Amino acid sequence: MAITELVRIYVPATMPMLAALRSSGKLGEGSLTAHAVTPALREWYAEGDEEELEYVAFTRAAQAALQLLRHDSEAPRRRVVVSADVPANSLVRADVELGSSTVRLPQPIALADVASIHLDGTDAIEQVAAAAEVVDEALAGDPDAQFTVDGAEDHELEWYAVSELDELTSD
């Protein structure tokens, strides 16, 4: 019997996406963009160990969560990253640029594949709201916008077990 290799991925999300995960048992509708330790990321960070590479992929997912918030004005201003373990052969590398951590999944992620949930504490809401407003400008190279985004990134996302999903989405 062949053993399927699993890969840890980090999926940018919002609180409404967490609520949908809770109600449907799936994260996403159709194709999902996520971040993972890819060959391109390993090559770019040749000196980094596995833990450092995972942190880079996780951080990029948190940055992408800001972009989701920019385009969903109704979502609470809290970055969300869902960590999941999926079969390596289910991933499609979205970008082969050196240093890229972006991957695509052609299907939603099942709740059973979720390893943990990470989200901003309530103390970060103000900075995250400001960062969500200017994240696109920061990505385009605006130093003032980048300063605002960095302020949000100073807040570490809090870790939650999958068993806490009901509590996280009940307000």
Side-chain angles (χ1 to χ4, degrees), residues 126-144:
E126 188 175 314
Q127 287 88 359
V128 169
E133 291 300 314
V134 298
V135 66
D136 292 339
E137 291 84 350
L139 290 169
D142 180 319
D144 292 331

Side-chain angles (χ1 to χ4, degrees), residues 51-123:
E51 188 174 320
E52 290 169 320
L53 294 172
E54 293 277 348
Y55 186 75
V56 169
F58 176 85
T59 300
R60 290 181 179 171
Q63 291 167 344
L66 280 176
Q67 292 175 288
L68 292 174
L69 290 173
R70 169 127 188 197
H71 302 289
D72 183 353
S73 60
E74 300 298 312
R77 307 284 94 176
R78 295 171 81 179
R79 296 170 298 166
V80 177
V81 174
V82 176
S83 299
D85 296 318
V86 299
N89 61 6
S90 69
L91 298 177
V92 176
R93 273 191 246 138
D95 187 355
V96 292
E97 182 178 317
L98 192 61
S100 175
S101 61
T102 305
V103 294
R104 290 205 190 281
L105 285 90
Q107 72 285 335
I109 295 169
L111 180 58
D113 295 332
V114 174
S116 58
I117 300 163
H118 312 265
L119 67 134
D120 278 308
T122 56
D123 62 324

Side-chain angles (χ1 to χ4, degrees), residues 3-17:
I3 297 176
T4 303
E5 179 187 356
L6 295 178
V7 174
R8 172 68 50 100
I9 61 168
Y10 303 97
V11 184
T14 62
M15 294 300 289
M17 291 172 73

